[in-house]
């Protein structure tokens, strides 16, 4: 009887998880729009960073209790962030290009599930898959920060991008220490993060 009640309670918590993810993503997305007007120049890039959205979606998916749910939460997390941002901007009569909206919604459909899968690999995968999942999250953050420190350093805060790069390195170390621990997969994780970071910076440059 007690086990049945416990399972029922756990199922209710899991069912409530998806609406909570959507609500959290919409709220944080709205804050990124407001942050562009409120934050000082030294930290304004936080509200205009695609990689920070990806990091939020990754963390939300990391809380999921299964691969399918993690993939769904990655999708809903990134879509909710974009939706919250654009809904808030439109409500404030801030002009937004349809192309930008289409781009981020397409990114949510493509990148969101990949972030969810990466989070699932980190949480419950083998050392090798956990290494790959950690590398994806850290590489996205690191790649954007390299772009910020090089291509747009004159118009944004170098301090912010330096902090984001440090966060990317710390995230990779923390996730590898938590779930990988073996030398060969750790090397794989570092190399993969470098590749993902390079590709991310190149995509930003070409975009």
């Amino acid at each position: 009887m007690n086990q049945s009640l416990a399972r029922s309670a756990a199922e209710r918590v899991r069912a409530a998880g998806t609406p909570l993810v959507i609500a959290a993503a919409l709220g944080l997305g709205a804050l990124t729009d407001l942050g562009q007007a409120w934050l000082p120049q030294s930290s304004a890039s936080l509200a205009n960073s695609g990689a920070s959205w990806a990091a939020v979606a990754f963390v939300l998916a990391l809380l999921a209790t299964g691969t399918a749910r993690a993939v769904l939460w990655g999708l809903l997390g990134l879509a909710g962030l974009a939706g919250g941002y654009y809904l808030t901007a439109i409500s404030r009569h801030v002009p937004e290009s349809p192309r930008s909206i289409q781009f981020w919604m397409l990114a949510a459909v493509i990148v969101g599930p990949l972030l969810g899968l990466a989070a699932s690999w980190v949480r419950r995968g083998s050392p090798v898959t956990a290494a790959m999942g950690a590398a994806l999250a850290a590489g996205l953050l690191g790649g954007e920060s390299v772009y910020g420190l090089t291509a747009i350093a004159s118009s944004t805060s170098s301090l912010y991008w330096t902090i984001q790069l440090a966060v990317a390195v710390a995230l990779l170390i923390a996730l590898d220490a938590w779930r990988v621990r073996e030398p060969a997969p750790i090397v794989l994780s570092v190399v993969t993060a470098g590749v993902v970071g390079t590709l991310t910076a190149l995509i930003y440059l070409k975009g």
Side-chain angles (χ1 to χ4, degrees), residues 6-199:
R7 282 195 298 271
S8 178
E11 288 171 0
R12 285 196 296 270
V13 170
R14 285 194 292 270
T18 297
L20 288 175
V21 165
I22 295 172
L26 286 170
L28 291 170
L31 285 177
T32 57
D33 173 68
L34 297 174
Q36 291 182 354
W38 296 347
L39 291 174
Q41 197 273 338
S42 60
S43 56
S45 294
L46 176 63
N48 196 29
S49 165
S52 64
W53 276 5
V56 170
F58 177 83
V59 170
L60 290 173
L62 198 62
L63 302 174
T65 56
T67 299
R69 190 177 294 268
V71 169
L72 175 64
W73 285 9
L75 167 63
L76 294 177
L78 200 53
L81 286 159
Y85 174 89
Y86 286 114
L87 287 172
T88 304
I90 291 169
S91 71
R92 293 172 55 231
H93 306 290
V94 176
E96 296 290 345
S97 75
R99 183 177 178 182
S100 175
I101 297 173
Q102 290 170 2
F103 172 84
W104 279 106
M105 288 306 171
L106 181 62
V109 171
I110 297 173
V111 179
L114 292 176
L115 289 167
L117 181 61
S120 179
W121 283 351
V122 169
R123 180 161 178 180
R124 59 187 60 81
S126 68
V128 171
T129 56
M132 299 291 284
L136 176 62
L140 287 172
L141 279 173
E144 187 188 58
S145 64
V146 170
Y147 166 77
L149 286 168
T150 54
I152 55 173
S154 61
S155 59
T156 57
S157 169
S158 295
L159 175 60
Y160 171 81
W161 297 118
T162 301
I163 292 173
Q164 180 169 308
L165 182 59
V167 169
V169 173
L171 178 66
L172 185 65
I173 293 172
L175 292 177
D176 283 349
W178 174 39
R179 288 287 292 116
V180 181
R181 301 182 184 176
E182 299 177 9
I186 287 176
V187 172
L188 174 65
S189 185
V190 172
V191 172
T192 304
V195 172
V196 172
T198 300
L199 291 174

